[in-house]
Amino acid sequence: KRAVALANGGIPGEDTEAACAYCGSPGVINWMRLADGRPSAWVTFTDLTLDHVIPTTRGGANVASNIVLACKPCNSSKRNRTPEEW
């Protein structure tokens, strides 16, 4: 998750606006902070999910370069298809 957050402009320890890679719907990358203020390793996403561009069921790798942020409707609609097939 951290690599995907960084690739999409996430700032360690900050909440960062982000958008669905397919339709542009807004969301937020939530990068938590430790009690002492340092960035945590914990990252969550508000209104966005992680989507494999090339689905793992179709041979896609589970690496940041194959994962984008997608809103729930786009991710559900795309299912296990490539963006071109979708």
Side-chain angles (χ1 to χ4, degrees), residues 24 33 59 61 77 81:
R33 286 187 175 274
S77 173
R81 295 178 283 186

Side-chain angles (χ1 to χ4, degrees), residues 1-12 16-19 21 29 31 43 45 50 63-69:
K1 288 184 174 183
R2 290 181 304 230
V4 175
L6 287 170
N8 284 277
I11 301 167
T16 308
E17 292 182 7
I29 299 168
W31 205 307
V43 178
F45 304 93
L50 301 179
V63 296
S65 60
N66 187 44
I67 300 173
V68 296
L69 299 177

Side-chain angles (χ1 to χ4, degrees), residues 32-75:
M32 309 305 169
R33 286 187 175 274
L34 300 173
D36 65 6
R38 291 180 299 132
S40 168
W42 192 260
V43 178
T44 61
F45 304 93
T46 301
D47 296 326
L48 296 169
T49 60
L50 301 179
D51 179 61
H52 290 85
V53 178
I54 306 300
T56 55
T57 59
R58 309 278 296 278
N62 194 25
V63 296
S65 60
N66 187 44
I67 300 173
V68 296
L69 299 177
C71 67
K72 292 173 186 173
C74 284
N75 200 347

